Amino acid sequence: MFKKILIANRGEIACRVMRTAHRLGYQTVAVFSDADARALHVRMAGEAVPVGAAPAAQSYLNIPTLIAAAKKTGADALHPGYGFLSERADFAQACIDAGLVFIGPPPAAIEAMGNKAEAKRRMLAAGVPCVPGYFGDAQGSDQNAAQGDQRLCTEAAALGLPLLVKAVAGGGGRGMRLVHDLRDLPAALASARQESISAFGDGRLMLERLIADGRHIEVQIFADNHGNAVHLGERDCTSQRRRQKVIEEAPSPIVDAAMRETMGRDAVAAALAVGYRGAGTVEFIVDAQRRHYFLEMNTRLQVEHPVTECITGLDLVEWQLRVAAGEPLPARQQDVHFSGHAIQARLYAEDPYDGWTPQAGHITGWRPPAASVTPVRIDHGIEAGGEVTPYYDAMVAKFIAHGSDRNDAIRQLRQALAQTPLFGIKNNGRFLCDLLAHPDFEQAQMTTTRLDEWAAAAAPLLQRPAPRPDAWRVAAALRAAGSVGNIGKLGVRPASVAQFDLTLECAGQTQVHRAPPDGVTLLGLADGELRAIVDGVQRRYACVHDSKQTSIAVDAAVFSFTEISPMSQVHTAADAGRARAPVAGVVAQVLVKVGDLVSAGQPLLSVEAMKMEMWLNAAAAGTVRALHAAPKSAVAAGAVLVELELP
């Protein structure tokens, strides 16, 4: 038995675990890096312990520090959340050795499924279908990369194309590369290995044939210490970009009762084959003929678990705590029933209209409605006034709608996204709304590569939206009013002038408006909501307004308007002799040194932020004059990292 739980995680999942733990009467302990010192999950917990500097390797991945935090606070159990150390067998074992209850599967089960190649071998032995691939021992670790690469290239030629290079360890799409041409394989191996070492400390790789036009469908399973195991239905996670999930739903729109029974049976068999205990997810890829193949097992709670909770009426974190306490599963297979349809959309701090570039910065506005106001569940760990840092995952919130059917859930989810904008940081809120309304999604015609195909083709869905005319006019009225205290008053600045020209800039556009604009009357701005009459129609807008900028949410997109002087000149920041950090992050690789001759387009170095590695290339040919970055060093957005001497 245990009474106090340390959550070895951060953000949304830490808050999620705490809510259930508090409801069941458990005390909680949070841990936090320097970057998260003022985060929401820290204040939610009964106690909180600092665990070091911002980069994950010095904070949430430091096993001795986390164990010491549990001992210091008297915590007798530890919940790993997802990501970070949640699928590390050595972490689970360290908790057990320290006398803590690890709220997760046994170390042996994590070890068995954590090595994806070994897991495939076990599944084949258990009769679970697997995608053809190479899962042998010569996997090209960082110690014997050259020898391993030679074997992998030989196996790739035998398997045929296209294929995936995959990290043996970890998950979340890290260390994964798609190869269409064998000539690209060596570079893919090197890149995947580097990312895998950075994320998981393990450079081993495997190969797997790509299932073209596949759907990603996973099955939630649970097992206890008493020999019981059940599945809780499937989730469809096909809508992905760069192997990162964007939208998940349950049940899958393509799975019927017979297919659900077969996949559920195989998922339970996979769990029993490794002596599993607790929550786990067995992931399958389904081809065009609806044949399913085992991909991997995630030995933890999944990000998308809320959709399963919605259709089953169960609290999966509660099940985790009860199983960890030695209780039998709360329900048998015949007691599990499904109701309605649930869809989850992940709100990412990224710019989908600029190659999904990660974003970091200050949150100026965020007001999720109370549960009594909307039926849509919003799981998050952020708040207005907080910061989104570049050190961790880009996901900041999850919107989960549960409807009587799929169309009902889509309608609710789109409305919630439109009514709950995130201000201050570019995000994918508008993109999610548009994706949910796209015919391919509505008709369940998505594949795991569809979003990437749209990006490559510059599809309309990925074109940056422009502000509506009424947004420009309302912004002009707000800028004319000046301070919030003037909104709703007749007077405008300057008091002696009835109207004047106002130049606004937004999303790369500049417009001149007469201010205050005709046909717009501001009624009031309070608690982030603006009421205004536009051409005789009273409307409300989510809005953040101050002396520097006015941000207005329209159709789930946030548009930020800045007043500029018509006399100002625009200076571009382009400088061919300077390579700047595209975002705040950590330098991952440096390929040049001072004195090197480089050609135009040559890679110079890469910056990693929010699980994404971005390369800086030389804008012109020249000689490296100065380097202002080293591997593992933190850099600010826009910082000059490489200076070139141009001819």
Side-chain angles (χ1 to χ4, degrees), residues 374-447:
T374 175
V376 174
R377 168 178 164 182
I378 302 176
D379 286 5
H380 67 98
I382 58 174
E383 57 188 342
E387 295 284 332
V388 173
T389 72
Y391 305 113
Y392 309 114
D393 192 273
M395 189 188 75
V396 294
K398 304 183 307 194
F399 288 68
I400 309 103
H402 183 210
S404 58
D405 56 29
R406 191 168 184 264
N407 289 335
D408 190 24
I410 291 174
R411 184 173 58 253
Q412 290 184 35
L413 189 52
R414 295 190 73 234
Q415 182 182 39
L417 286 163
Q419 293 181 345
T420 316
L422 174 63
F423 289 92
I425 300 172
K426 291 179 181 178
N427 59 84
N428 67 332
R430 169 62 177 268
F431 167 76
L432 291 171
C433 263
D434 291 343
L435 176 57
L436 288 164
H438 193 281
D440 282 8
F441 185 85
E442 288 185 331
Q443 298 166 21
Q445 297 298 314
M446 298 295 292
T447 68

Side-chain angles (χ1 to χ4, degrees), residues 27-248:
Q27 300 175 62
T28 59
V29 179
V31 292
F32 61 94
S33 69
D34 294 349
D36 284 338
R38 302 170 71 178
L40 181 61
H41 78 276
V42 176
R43 297 201 309 280
M44 279 187 65
E47 299 172 275
V49 181
V51 289
Q58 285 74 48
S59 52
Y60 300 101
L61 294 181
N62 192 315
I63 294 177
T65 300
L66 295 170
I67 298 295
K71 292 293 187 181
K72 183 176 183 178
T73 56
D76 46 4
L78 185 146
H79 194 299
Y82 42 65
F84 292 137
L85 295 168
S86 61
E87 294 184 278
R88 287 269 296 271
D90 57 340
F91 182 44
Q93 188 62 55
C95 291
I96 295 169
D97 293 344
L100 302 174
V101 174
F102 182 75
I103 303 174
I110 298 176
E111 183 70 29
M113 288 301 194
N115 182 315
K116 293 184 177 67
E118 172 64 21
K120 292 291 179 70
R121 295 194 289 266
R122 286 187 178 235
M123 293 304 101
L124 289 169
V128 179
C130 295
V131 177
Y134 173 67
F135 318 122
D137 294 328
Q139 293 153 351
S141 70
D142 45 314
Q143 288 80 24
N144 65 340
Q147 180 180 355
D149 283 3
Q150 185 176 2
R151 177 62 182 274
L152 290 170
C153 288
T154 301
E155 295 291 342
L159 280 171
L161 299 169
L163 58 78
L164 288 171
V165 175
K166 300 178 73 172
V168 168
R174 306 300 303 273
M176 185 182 298
R177 298 293 185 272
L178 176 61
V179 178
H180 288 282
D181 189 320
L182 286 177
R183 291 173 296 183
D184 299 330
L185 183 58
L189 294 172
S191 177
R193 181 178 297 107
Q194 175 64 38
E195 187 174 49
S196 182
I197 292 172
S198 175
F200 314 120
D202 189 332
R204 292 175 295 168
L205 304 172
M206 55 181 268
L207 303 175
E208 192 172 79
R209 277 295 304 274
L210 177 72
I211 300 295
D213 298 326
R215 293 188 72 96
H216 184 126
I217 299 177
E218 61 191 29
V219 177
Q220 176 72 61
I221 63 95
F222 252 96
D224 61 21
N225 288 317
H226 305 277
N228 304 307
V230 300
H231 74 83
L232 302 180
E234 82 284 351
R235 298 185 288 256
D236 196 314
C237 308
T238 300
S239 298
Q240 304 177 7
R241 55 101 178 105
R242 293 176 176 168
R243 303 289 167 182
Q244 291 287 314
K245 298 168 185 174
V246 176
I247 292 179
E248 301 101 344

